[in-house]
Each structure stands twice: as structure tokens, then as C-alpha cells.
Amino acid sequence: MAKKTAYMGMLTALAFVLSYIEFLIPINLGIPGVKLGLANLVTIVALYTMGVKEACTLSLVRIVLNGFTFGNPAAMLYSLAGGILSLLAMIGARRIKLFSVTGVSVLGGVFHNLGQIMAAVLVVENARLLYYFPVLVLSGTLAGTVIGILAALIIKRLDKLIREQNQ
């Protein structure tokens, strides 16, 4: 139990630090809302190494911490909507075992953007925002691919480390 708690604490701190780095060094491609999603790397690693419950807890704690530290209530609402939809998509994709870690990450990135745009449509009461969704699908796919490749490498190394410790 102590190891699991320590691992969860480490992952939470890592996700928070990665969010901070992303906050300090924004990617400005002239498209508002486009981010790499570095903290999602930690969520995917938690999903594959710890399980669904832990990944959900980590994601929620990360979103709330980031919202209070770097954002505002509106930003937290959008992040929460994106995070929940992203997690549901990643959990479903992982369970059906049709996708690699990278594929799960891409789905997470796209569904995160979908959740955020749907929240924005509801908040501003303007369905025209959906015209922006194809741009977000592209950015979610690209970011999800990068994050997924990194996550797959980390998960592979962690699995090897855990196997070596259990021998």
C-alpha cells in the first residue's frame, strides 16, 4: 500500500510539473487552445501501470490543482470536460484491446478536444464553435501521437523494471 501511495504521489507531482512546464512554455501556432498535453503522458502511464481508478484519480487531482494554480474556473471547467471525455475514450479503447498505447493516446487527445469544444458550445450557447473542431482533431491527433509514443516507451521501461524487481 505504501509503494502504491508513493507511486501515485510521484505521478501526481510529475503531472503537475509537466503542466507547469507547458504553462511556462506555451506552444503558439496561431491557433488558440492547441497544446501538447504533456501531463496526459502521466495519465496514460497510470492507466497502463496502475489501473482505471488510479488514472481517474490522478487526472481529477491534476485538473483541480492546475485549475487553482494556473487557471480560472472557466479553464477548469473546460479541462474537466475534456479530461472526463478523454479518460472515458482511453479506458474504452484500452479495454477493447484494438489500439496500441499510441492509438489510445490519439483517441484521448481527440476526445479531450471534443469535450472542451462541447463545453464551450454549451457555455457560450453558440454551435458555430464546432467549425473549429477539425483543427482540434488534427492537433489532438498530432499531440496524441507524440504523447503516445513517449508513453509506450515509458510503460515498456517501467514493466521491465517491475519484472526485474520481482525476480
Side-chain angles (χ1 to χ4, degrees):
M1 185 64 172
K3 282 184 180 181
K4 186 176 180 181
T5 302
Y7 186 59
M8 190 69 164
M10 181 193 68
L11 289 179
T12 302
L14 182 59
F16 189 67
V17 167
L18 290 174
S19 293
Y20 182 60
I21 290 169
E22 198 163 41
F23 176 77
L24 288 176
I25 310 168
I27 299 171
N28 188 358
L29 302 173
I31 304 166
V34 173
K35 292 183 357 180
L36 186 54
L38 291 173
N40 197 42
L41 172 65
V42 182
T43 303
I44 294 168
V45 170
L47 180 63
Y48 277 85
T49 61
M50 295 188 79
V52 170
K53 182 178 147 190
E54 291 80 2
C56 290
T57 302
L58 173 73
S59 186
L60 179 63
V61 168
R62 174 184 60 84
I63 289 168
V64 170
L65 277 175
N66 290 340
F68 284 128
T69 307
F70 311 121
N72 55 51
M76 199 178 338
L77 171 73
Y78 296 134
S79 290
L80 197 55
I84 290 169
L85 199 55
S86 172
L87 266 171
L88 290 174
M90 290 191 300
I91 291 165
R94 181 163 188 259
R95 281 199 177 140
I96 61 172
K97 298 180 183 192
L98 227 103
F99 298 93
S100 65
V101 173
T102 303
V104 168
S105 176
V106 168
L107 281 174
V110 170
F111 275 83
H112 190 277
N113 290 338
L114 177 62
Q116 287 187 320
I117 199 114
M118 293 306 293
V121 165
L122 293 173
V123 168
V124 300
E125 298 177 354
N126 188 346
R128 287 169 148 192
L129 290 174
L130 292 172
Y131 288 115
Y132 188 55
F133 186 60
V135 173
L136 293 178
V137 167
L138 179 62
S139 72
T141 300
L142 294 174
T145 300
V146 170
I147 296 301
I149 290 168
L150 291 172
L153 291 170
I154 291 168
I155 292 164
K156 185 177 179 181
R157 299 255 170 123
L158 285 174
D159 284 344
K160 182 179 176 186
L161 184 66
I162 291 167
R163 277 195 312 271
E164 287 173 0
Q165 285 181 349
N166 290 336
Q167 290 180 354

